[in-house]
């Protein structure tokens, strides 16, 4: 199969007000015949350059009302135009430009990049199969400075980790969910709601939080919360890359460090991941 | 000279409310004698490990009321403790953790990383010289989708660039200013004000913006505006890394592209930089 | 499941001569029960810290005779020690330290890092299943300055790419193969032979090369050549990330550029990938 | 001032044999008047696009016999063509393509990227001043597994580092030297000789090495050795970024670790730097 990445900007005006969408699109194609590989016969090959042109033309004609709709448009175009395409996947990721505000007043044409979680989506289709839509958020860095511990784990002769009931929980979240075959949702609105659900499930109530007994349990809480609040989500995958922090031992320096100064533990680092659906449970 | 980088987290509580500051500190030291280099005589060398301990102890004892105050504390410690130190510079950079909010309510112990411009500062001192304080912002990505052009430039036989009066202005801003010897400022408050000035000077009035005839002129506008609004700033340096976008020519594809679809031009890329002081002008 | 990464150095001496192996190990574990996720019950969880200790103890006890043997050791340890482990995968990657030579004489304890292709391997096992061994090379950057073209491809109204019979072929190669269940091979020797086969298949005979009609065909040539020369390889996957170069049009500058000056085309970039086995053919 | 980066490939043929040079050129210009910044008057500004064209035309016309000669050509062109240029610096860096060999036979048109130290150079000139030439190597990673220690350093109440007489010495080297105003050297030959001198001074004799009492002393040894062996070098700057490794304490795991298993210490990391000239000594 082949994969191609294109970056571009889509501008749009309403009166004097300007709107901007900068995206990176990655199109995966698999053809019905492997003759290009086996025989060096290029007659069915769609060049990278043509794929780029198609993506830019679709952006010009349709705009990008939502990342998901644009990914669906790309899939539809390749499936309907090229009978040699057996499979197509369109991945779309957004550069997080936000409109600038001055004293609360939105600026008509100025933007600032605010990468606090990157929005992405995927649409994929096999010939004669359904068009499936996915969306997600990545590079979302979160931290809880208390209400997190790790106790009661399995121990043997290789165990040196002490039990802790008040540690830092910090990590980078990747979250991807499936909308199934449904394509008429208000994708922008749902995405914002899911992002809020993730933050709420991670943090717990603002006045007291909620105790996390492990990264794994926090992953599960996020999944359960999204599934319970957003009915359009069918399956949700969460990966949490852990960043551990150790309280610095200052005894040799004559000081008591009451969880005030901590250093990140660069190695080992880890991640935990889980995929959760509506009826069946499957851990990947 | 020697340079050392330490990353750590400083937690602080007020009642049940938690505060977090994650910083990266880089300490540069130069000793009065080069004997470590020439003779392999280590008797005056302060090991990296000791420097790390000192930085962590200072964070534990003093906290980090502002990056600038912490950098000043480090300089003072090295100058007063080690007579073999001829020069010290402390660079401090912040991981941009922001308190999470749920429906407008601030969370007592949960944070999200929002890297829309990184705050940093420097304090430096030569033995018997004044302690100088600098602050700045970096990795601040900004875009204007109109009100920018580039015309009337020098032309000769190697010129192929057309003149443009409506292009995209997009770039990554680095900005560093000097407070001179003054150390009793409200550094947190001034930094926020300067960040606002930068955004305002870049964007112009929210309802119409302000035409930029070049990246260079925009750099100068930012400097002039900060100097005019923030009296504590003595000298200001601005570097703007340009990201150029070209309107895609769609004639061959049978379409008219009215500045709707643009692609980033990866090479050449460039930057322009200028340093501006209060009385004298010097271009670096 | 969970994933953990550990970096370390394994030293080994024979007389005064020193040997070094620096590796990054990533261990993936899946437990038989999801109770840690669902109930926050940690009683079966093997902490990251314990996994790190085990990997380091195995390196101390067994050394690293080959990356593959070390990955096998890790899998075996987890499967035989922990009955709650349902699946284990050990990925091992090497930092490419090479012994320094002075006038052809090898140095007894000095090394230089030469990253011209990174060696890695994987061993994986499900409980009650076979232990499977994989190896590979990644980040291998290759270029042919001639004997490459791309012609006869599919064309329609979105095609703007001209046909070319003398272009640059440049890319970054990822190659991963399976040894099946066999674990008693001389993995170091086979790996070196496969690397040579890849280079030979990519470049063709030293005096004339071999014409490549597409990246896809070159990918297939590499696979076919490795399968024909190295009997221990069962299945081979190759991914080639393309870097395109365009001949600069210098007509406006009054010059004829006969494929002398070319600029890299940053977007779109692409890759092509194929997996090839011994009897059955399957394109991924 | 302004800065521009251009990447390109320069091909060259002798009979059927092909030669390739891929470089990244960064041109810094400062104009005699700041009017572009102050007044938005672009009449003297040389656009990035024009600078790109000039660099590509020079590469087409002159080829790249050496990085240094190409940097000199660029400086000369800007100084003689544009009277508004007050200062020009050309930095040139090479992508380390090496000719492929099959069984010792060089291939006529295939290359592999071998980044074991990146070659670069700089030429700079102020109007009415001399043209100065610099060259260097960067990203050169070296390791000695023994014959290195660190003892007798300064101690006080913040010292926790133990003395060590057998540690790992590992780091990334940056080295830059000046040829002064001389421009008729065989730059390719001298560069290779200096690279060999650096490796030899770092490693010591192949059969026994040479004890290093500190990173600083090793930096100095490299400088002294290059200055003593290569008469064309006038001043030499060396920066060594340290990577520290700690022997893993395995007592709690019931094992004695005789410097067999070590882990990298990610923080603090540091570097030491020194600049050394022929007659005068100056530490930067």
């Amino acid at each position: 199969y082949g994969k191609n990445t294109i970056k571009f900007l889509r501008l749009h005006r309403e009166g004097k007000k300007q709107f901007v969408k900068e995206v990176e699109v990655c199109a995966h194609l698999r053809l019905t015949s492997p003759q290009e590989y086996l025989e060096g016969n290029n007659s069915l090959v769609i060049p990278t350059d043509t794929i780029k042109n198609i993506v830019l033309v679709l952006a010009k004609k349709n705009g990008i009302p939502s990342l998901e709709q644009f990914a669906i448009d790309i899939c539809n175009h390749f499936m309907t135009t090229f009978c040699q395409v057996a499979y197509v996947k369109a991945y779309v990721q957004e550069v997080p430009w936000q409109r600038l505000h001055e004293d609360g007043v939105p600026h008509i044409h100025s933007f600032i990049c605010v990468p606090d979680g990157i929005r992405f989506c995927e649409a994929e289709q096999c010939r004669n199969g359904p068009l499936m839509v996915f969306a997600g958020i990545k590079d979302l860095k979160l931290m809880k400075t208390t209400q997190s511990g790790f106790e009661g784990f399995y121990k043997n002769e290789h165990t040196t980790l002490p039990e802790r009931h008040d540690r830092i929980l910090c990590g980078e979240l990747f979250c991807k969910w499936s909308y199934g075959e449904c394509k008429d949702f208000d994708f922008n609105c749902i995405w914002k709601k899911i992002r809020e659900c993730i933050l709420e499930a991670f943090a717990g109530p603002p006045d007291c939080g909620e105790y996390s007994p492990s990264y794994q349990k926090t992953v599960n809480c996020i999944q359960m919360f999204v599934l319970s609040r957003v009915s359009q989500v069918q399956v949700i995958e969460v990966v949490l890359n852990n960043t551990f922090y150790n309280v610095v031992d200052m005894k040799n320096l004559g000081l008591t460090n009451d969880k005030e100064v901590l250093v990140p533990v660069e190695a080992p680092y880890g991640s935990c991941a889980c995929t959760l659906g509506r009826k069946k449970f499957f851990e990947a």
Side-chain angles (χ1 to χ4, degrees), chain A residues 150-173:
Chain A
F150 189 49
E151 299 176 286
F153 47 79
Y154 189 86
K155 295 179 191 64
N156 71 359
E157 76 274 20
H158 291 120
T159 307
T160 53
L161 188 75
E163 306 218 322
R164 277 176 299 177
H165 63 277
D166 187 11
R167 62 170 185 176
I168 303 281
L169 195 156
C170 181
E172 194 174 298
L173 205 83

PDB file of all heavy atoms in Angstrom, chain A residues 150-173:
ATOM      1  N   PHE A 150      -0.555   4.247  44.290  1.00  0.00           N
ATOM      2  CA  PHE A 150      -0.345   2.950  43.639  1.00  0.00           C
ATOM      3  C   PHE A 150       0.056   1.975  44.743  1.00  0.00           C
ATOM      4  O   PHE A 150       1.170   2.028  45.257  1.00  0.00           O
ATOM      5  CB  PHE A 150       0.732   3.055  42.553  1.00  0.00           C
ATOM      6  CG  PHE A 150       0.857   1.815  41.699  1.00  0.00           C
ATOM      7  CD1 PHE A 150      -0.267   1.216  41.123  1.00  0.00           C
ATOM      8  CD2 PHE A 150       2.106   1.249  41.465  1.00  0.00           C
ATOM      9  CE1 PHE A 150      -0.125   0.078  40.335  1.00  0.00           C
ATOM     10  CE2 PHE A 150       2.240   0.117  40.676  1.00  0.00           C
ATOM     11  CZ  PHE A 150       1.117  -0.466  40.110  1.00  0.00           C
ATOM     12  N   GLU A 151      -0.896   1.119  45.118  1.00  0.00           N
ATOM     13  CA  GLU A 151      -0.680   0.229  46.255  1.00  0.00           C
ATOM     14  C   GLU A 151      -1.206  -1.167  45.938  1.00  0.00           C
ATOM     15  O   GLU A 151      -1.996  -1.343  45.020  1.00  0.00           O
ATOM     16  CB  GLU A 151      -1.412   0.768  47.491  1.00  0.00           C
ATOM     17  CG  GLU A 151      -0.960   2.126  47.934  1.00  0.00           C
ATOM     18  CD  GLU A 151      -1.794   2.672  49.106  1.00  0.00           C
ATOM     19  OE1 GLU A 151      -2.936   3.077  48.858  1.00  0.00           O
ATOM     20  OE2 GLU A 151      -1.292   2.652  50.241  1.00  0.00           O
ATOM     21  N   GLY A 152      -0.787  -2.127  46.713  1.00  0.00           N
ATOM     22  CA  GLY A 152      -1.350  -3.470  46.602  1.00  0.00           C
ATOM     23  C   GLY A 152      -0.959  -4.207  45.342  1.00  0.00           C
ATOM     24  O   GLY A 152      -1.630  -5.166  44.949  1.00  0.00           O
ATOM     25  N   PHE A 153       0.115  -3.783  44.708  1.00  0.00           N
ATOM     26  CA  PHE A 153       0.529  -4.450  43.461  1.00  0.00           C
ATOM     27  C   PHE A 153       1.277  -5.752  43.768  1.00  0.00           C
ATOM     28  O   PHE A 153       1.652  -6.024  44.910  1.00  0.00           O
ATOM     29  CB  PHE A 153       1.369  -3.505  42.595  1.00  0.00           C
ATOM     30  CG  PHE A 153       2.456  -2.763  43.325  1.00  0.00           C
ATOM     31  CD1 PHE A 153       3.656  -3.385  43.639  1.00  0.00           C
ATOM     32  CD2 PHE A 153       2.263  -1.439  43.710  1.00  0.00           C
ATOM     33  CE1 PHE A 153       4.652  -2.695  44.313  1.00  0.00           C
ATOM     34  CE2 PHE A 153       3.253  -0.753  44.407  1.00  0.00           C
ATOM     35  CZ  PHE A 153       4.448  -1.388  44.710  1.00  0.00           C
ATOM     36  N   TYR A 154       1.503  -6.535  42.728  1.00  0.00           N
ATOM     37  CA  TYR A 154       2.169  -7.836  42.839  1.00  0.00           C
ATOM     38  C   TYR A 154       3.634  -7.640  43.250  1.00  0.00           C
ATOM     39  O   TYR A 154       4.319  -6.769  42.729  1.00  0.00           O
ATOM     40  CB  TYR A 154       2.095  -8.535  41.478  1.00  0.00           C
ATOM     41  CG  TYR A 154       2.557  -9.967  41.488  1.00  0.00           C
ATOM     42  CD1 TYR A 154       1.684 -11.003  41.811  1.00  0.00           C
ATOM     43  CD2 TYR A 154       3.860 -10.282  41.148  1.00  0.00           C
ATOM     44  CE1 TYR A 154       2.110 -12.321  41.807  1.00  0.00           C
ATOM     45  CE2 TYR A 154       4.303 -11.592  41.140  1.00  0.00           C
ATOM     46  CZ  TYR A 154       3.412 -12.614  41.470  1.00  0.00           C
ATOM     47  OH  TYR A 154       3.832 -13.917  41.464  1.00  0.00           O
ATOM     48  N   LYS A 155       4.109  -8.458  44.177  1.00  0.00           N
ATOM     49  CA  LYS A 155       5.485  -8.294  44.654  1.00  0.00           C
ATOM     50  C   LYS A 155       6.250  -9.615  44.591  1.00  0.00           C
ATOM     51  O   LYS A 155       5.686 -10.678  44.848  1.00  0.00           O
ATOM     52  CB  LYS A 155       5.487  -7.768  46.084  1.00  0.00           C
ATOM     53  CG  LYS A 155       4.907  -6.373  46.202  1.00  0.00           C
ATOM     54  CD  LYS A 155       4.888  -5.849  47.620  1.00  0.00           C
ATOM     55  CE  LYS A 155       4.053  -4.579  47.681  1.00  0.00           C
ATOM     56  NZ  LYS A 155       2.602  -4.786  47.352  1.00  0.00           N
ATOM     57  N   ASN A 156       7.509  -9.526  44.218  1.00  0.00           N
ATOM     58  CA  ASN A 156       8.399 -10.699  44.314  1.00  0.00           C
ATOM     59  C   ASN A 156       9.829 -10.216  44.564  1.00  0.00           C
ATOM     60  O   ASN A 156      10.034  -9.068  44.962  1.00  0.00           O
ATOM     61  CB  ASN A 156       8.274 -11.578  43.052  1.00  0.00           C
ATOM     62  CG  ASN A 156       8.883 -10.940  41.822  1.00  0.00           C
ATOM     63  OD1 ASN A 156       9.405  -9.820  41.868  1.00  0.00           O
ATOM     64  ND2 ASN A 156       8.823 -11.653  40.734  1.00  0.00           N
ATOM     65  N   GLU A 157      10.794 -11.077  44.324  1.00  0.00           N
ATOM     66  CA  GLU A 157      12.173 -10.696  44.681  1.00  0.00           C
ATOM     67  C   GLU A 157      12.740  -9.565  43.825  1.00  0.00           C
ATOM     68  O   GLU A 157      13.780  -8.998  44.168  1.00  0.00           O
ATOM     69  CB  GLU A 157      13.097 -11.929  44.619  1.00  0.00           C
ATOM     70  CG  GLU A 157      13.491 -12.384  43.221  1.00  0.00           C
ATOM     71  CD  GLU A 157      12.467 -13.332  42.565  1.00  0.00           C
ATOM     72  OE1 GLU A 157      11.291 -13.366  43.001  1.00  0.00           O
ATOM     73  OE2 GLU A 157      12.860 -14.026  41.616  1.00  0.00           O
ATOM     74  N   HIS A 158      12.093  -9.236  42.718  1.00  0.00           N
ATOM     75  CA  HIS A 158      12.575  -8.132  41.878  1.00  0.00           C
ATOM     76  C   HIS A 158      11.863  -6.809  42.170  1.00  0.00           C
ATOM     77  O   HIS A 158      12.079  -5.816  41.476  1.00  0.00           O
ATOM     78  CB  HIS A 158      12.413  -8.482  40.386  1.00  0.00           C
ATOM     79  CG  HIS A 158      13.331  -9.574  39.934  1.00  0.00           C
ATOM     80  ND1 HIS A 158      12.886 -10.766  39.409  1.00  0.00           N
ATOM     81  CD2 HIS A 158      14.679  -9.673  39.962  1.00  0.00           C
ATOM     82  CE1 HIS A 158      13.925 -11.537  39.122  1.00  0.00           C
ATOM     83  NE2 HIS A 158      15.017 -10.908  39.440  1.00  0.00           N
ATOM     84  N   THR A 159      11.026  -6.803  43.179  1.00  0.00           N
ATOM     85  CA  THR A 159      10.267  -5.592  43.501  1.00  0.00           C
ATOM     86  C   THR A 159      11.088  -4.654  44.379  1.00  0.00           C
ATOM     87  O   THR A 159      11.580  -5.070  45.428  1.00  0.00           O
ATOM     88  CB  THR A 159       8.968  -5.961  44.243  1.00  0.00           C
ATOM     89  OG1 THR A 159       8.266  -6.930  43.480  1.00  0.00           O
ATOM     90  CG2 THR A 159       8.101  -4.743  44.464  1.00  0.00           C
ATOM     91  N   THR A 160      11.265  -3.417  43.935  1.00  0.00           N
ATOM     92  CA  THR A 160      11.909  -2.419  44.794  1.00  0.00           C
ATOM     93  C   THR A 160      11.022  -1.190  44.990  1.00  0.00           C
ATOM     94  O   THR A 160      11.327  -0.337  45.815  1.00  0.00           O
ATOM     95  CB  THR A 160      13.270  -1.958  44.201  1.00  0.00           C
ATOM     96  OG1 THR A 160      13.078  -1.536  42.850  1.00  0.00           O
ATOM     97  CG2 THR A 160      14.297  -3.081  44.222  1.00  0.00           C
ATOM     98  N   LEU A 161       9.937  -1.098  44.254  1.00  0.00           N
ATOM     99  CA  LEU A 161       9.052   0.073  44.322  1.00  0.00           C
ATOM    100  C   LEU A 161       8.283   0.086  45.640  1.00  0.00           C
ATOM    101  O   LEU A 161       7.613  -0.890  45.981  1.00  0.00           O
ATOM    102  CB  LEU A 161       8.053   0.034  43.163  1.00  0.00           C
ATOM    103  CG  LEU A 161       7.173   1.269  42.977  1.00  0.00           C
ATOM    104  CD1 LEU A 161       7.981   2.404  42.359  1.00  0.00           C
ATOM    105  CD2 LEU A 161       5.968   0.961  42.099  1.00  0.00           C
ATOM    106  N   PRO A 162       8.335   1.181  46.383  1.00  0.00           N
ATOM    107  CA  PRO A 162       7.507   1.268  47.590  1.00  0.00           C
ATOM    108  C   PRO A 162       6.056   1.580  47.226  1.00  0.00           C
ATOM    109  O   PRO A 162       5.782   2.129  46.166  1.00  0.00           O
ATOM    110  CB  PRO A 162       8.134   2.443  48.353  1.00  0.00           C
ATOM    111  CG  PRO A 162       8.759   3.289  47.291  1.00  0.00           C
ATOM    112  CD  PRO A 162       9.166   2.367  46.171  1.00  0.00           C
ATOM    113  N   GLU A 163       5.142   1.221  48.111  1.00  0.00           N
ATOM    114  CA  GLU A 163       3.749   1.597  47.903  1.00  0.00           C
ATOM    115  C   GLU A 163       3.584   3.092  48.180  1.00  0.00           C
ATOM    116  O   GLU A 163       4.241   3.649  49.057  1.00  0.00           O
ATOM    117  CB  GLU A 163       2.847   0.799  48.856  1.00  0.00           C
ATOM    118  CG  GLU A 163       3.059  -0.701  48.751  1.00  0.00           C
ATOM    119  CD  GLU A 163       1.760  -1.471  48.881  1.00  0.00           C
ATOM    120  OE1 GLU A 163       0.923  -1.045  49.689  1.00  0.00           O
ATOM    121  OE2 GLU A 163       1.583  -2.465  48.145  1.00  0.00           O
ATOM    122  N   ARG A 164       2.735   3.730  47.414  1.00  0.00           N
ATOM    123  CA  ARG A 164       2.518   5.162  47.620  1.00  0.00           C
ATOM    124  C   ARG A 164       1.038   5.494  47.533  1.00  0.00           C
ATOM    125  O   ARG A 164       0.351   5.037  46.630  1.00  0.00           O
ATOM    126  CB  ARG A 164       3.303   5.976  46.575  1.00  0.00           C
ATOM    127  CG  ARG A 164       4.752   6.169  47.009  1.00  0.00           C
ATOM    128  CD  ARG A 164       5.534   6.870  45.930  1.00  0.00           C
ATOM    129  NE  ARG A 164       5.562   6.095  44.700  1.00  0.00           N
ATOM    130  CZ  ARG A 164       6.141   6.515  43.575  1.00  0.00           C
ATOM    131  NH1 ARG A 164       6.715   7.707  43.547  1.00  0.00           N
ATOM    132  NH2 ARG A 164       6.138   5.767  42.496  1.00  0.00           N
ATOM    133  N   HIS A 165       0.560   6.300  48.468  1.00  0.00           N
ATOM    134  CA  HIS A 165      -0.847   6.697  48.424  1.00  0.00           C
ATOM    135  C   HIS A 165      -1.005   8.179  48.093  1.00  0.00           C
ATOM    136  O   HIS A 165      -2.111   8.700  48.064  1.00  0.00           O
ATOM    137  CB  HIS A 165      -1.528   6.373  49.759  1.00  0.00           C
ATOM    138  CG  HIS A 165      -0.935   7.136  50.903  1.00  0.00           C
ATOM    139  ND1 HIS A 165       0.207   6.728  51.557  1.00  0.00           N
ATOM    140  CD2 HIS A 165      -1.308   8.296  51.483  1.00  0.00           C
ATOM    141  CE1 HIS A 165       0.506   7.616  52.505  1.00  0.00           C
ATOM    142  NE2 HIS A 165      -0.393   8.561  52.478  1.00  0.00           N
ATOM    143  N   ASP A 166       0.117   8.886  47.879  1.00  0.00           N
ATOM    144  CA  ASP A 166       0.000  10.281  47.480  1.00  0.00           C
ATOM    145  C   ASP A 166       1.125  10.631  46.520  1.00  0.00           C
ATOM    146  O   ASP A 166       2.138  11.209  46.897  1.00  0.00           O
ATOM    147  CB  ASP A 166       0.031  11.217  48.695  1.00  0.00           C
ATOM    148  CG  ASP A 166      -0.270  12.663  48.295  1.00  0.00           C
ATOM    149  OD1 ASP A 166      -0.705  12.891  47.141  1.00  0.00           O
ATOM    150  OD2 ASP A 166      -0.061  13.568  49.122  1.00  0.00           O
ATOM    151  N   ARG A 167       0.931  10.237  45.282  1.00  0.00           N
ATOM    152  CA  ARG A 167       1.952  10.543  44.278  1.00  0.00           C
ATOM    153  C   ARG A 167       1.372  11.514  43.249  1.00  0.00           C
ATOM    154  O   ARG A 167       0.189  11.845  43.277  1.00  0.00           O
ATOM    155  CB  ARG A 167       2.438   9.250  43.601  1.00  0.00           C
ATOM    156  CG  ARG A 167       1.350   8.514  42.844  1.00  0.00           C
ATOM    157  CD  ARG A 167       1.921   7.375  41.995  1.00  0.00           C
ATOM    158  NE  ARG A 167       0.857   6.761  41.200  1.00  0.00           N
ATOM    159  CZ  ARG A 167       1.050   5.807  40.304  1.00  0.00           C
ATOM    160  NH1 ARG A 167       2.263   5.313  40.106  1.00  0.00           N
ATOM    161  NH2 ARG A 167       0.043   5.323  39.601  1.00  0.00           N
ATOM    162  N   ILE A 168       2.233  11.943  42.325  1.00  0.00           N
ATOM    163  CA  ILE A 168       1.812  12.777  41.186  1.00  0.00           C
ATOM    164  C   ILE A 168       1.283  11.846  40.100  1.00  0.00           C
ATOM    165  O   ILE A 168       1.887  10.814  39.809  1.00  0.00           O
ATOM    166  CB  ILE A 168       3.030  13.532  40.624  1.00  0.00           C
ATOM    167  CG1 ILE A 168       3.704  14.387  41.677  1.00  0.00           C
ATOM    168  CG2 ILE A 168       2.641  14.327  39.379  1.00  0.00           C
ATOM    169  CD1 ILE A 168       3.026  15.682  41.943  1.00  0.00           C
ATOM    170  N   LEU A 169       0.183  12.215  39.465  1.00  0.00           N
ATOM    171  CA  LEU A 169      -0.273  11.484  38.288  1.00  0.00           C
ATOM    172  C   LEU A 169      -0.125  12.429  37.105  1.00  0.00           C
ATOM    173  O   LEU A 169      -0.796  13.469  37.034  1.00  0.00           O
ATOM    174  CB  LEU A 169      -1.721  11.028  38.469  1.00  0.00           C
ATOM    175  CG  LEU A 169      -2.219   9.954  37.482  1.00  0.00           C
ATOM    176  CD1 LEU A 169      -3.387   9.204  38.112  1.00  0.00           C
ATOM    177  CD2 LEU A 169      -2.635  10.515  36.156  1.00  0.00           C
ATOM    178  N   CYS A 170       0.764  12.073  36.190  1.00  0.00           N
ATOM    179  CA  CYS A 170       1.044  12.959  35.068  1.00  0.00           C
ATOM    180  C   CYS A 170       1.251  12.121  33.826  1.00  0.00           C
ATOM    181  O   CYS A 170       1.874  11.064  33.878  1.00  0.00           O
ATOM    182  CB  CYS A 170       2.307  13.771  35.375  1.00  0.00           C
ATOM    183  SG  CYS A 170       2.742  14.930  34.076  1.00  0.00           S
ATOM    184  N   GLY A 171       0.720  12.580  32.734  1.00  0.00           N
ATOM    185  CA  GLY A 171       0.915  11.797  31.519  1.00  0.00           C
ATOM    186  C   GLY A 171       0.384  12.498  30.287  1.00  0.00           C
ATOM    187  O   GLY A 171      -0.241  13.561  30.355  1.00  0.00           O
ATOM    188  N   GLU A 172       0.676  11.876  29.166  1.00  0.00           N
ATOM    189  CA  GLU A 172       0.216  12.373  27.878  1.00  0.00           C
ATOM    190  C   GLU A 172      -0.850  11.421  27.365  1.00  0.00           C
ATOM    191  O   GLU A 172      -0.620  10.216  27.266  1.00  0.00           O
ATOM    192  CB  GLU A 172       1.406  12.429  26.913  1.00  0.00           C
ATOM    193  CG  GLU A 172       1.126  13.224  25.667  1.00  0.00           C
ATOM    194  CD  GLU A 172       2.371  13.383  24.818  1.00  0.00           C
ATOM    195  OE1 GLU A 172       3.361  13.981  25.286  1.00  0.00           O
ATOM    196  OE2 GLU A 172       2.352  12.874  23.681  1.00  0.00           O
ATOM    197  N   LEU A 173      -2.006  11.974  27.060  1.00  0.00           N
ATOM    198  CA  LEU A 173      -3.149  11.149  26.714  1.00  0.00           C
ATOM    199  C   LEU A 173      -3.354  11.081  25.200  1.00  0.00           C
ATOM    200  O   LEU A 173      -3.280  12.095  24.494  1.00  0.00           O
ATOM    201  CB  LEU A 173      -4.397  11.767  27.342  1.00  0.00           C
ATOM    202  CG  LEU A 173      -5.551  10.822  27.621  1.00  0.00           C
ATOM    203  CD1 LEU A 173      -5.319  10.107  28.940  1.00  0.00           C
ATOM    204  CD2 LEU A 173      -6.854  11.584  27.690  1.00  0.00           C
TER     205      LEU A 173
END
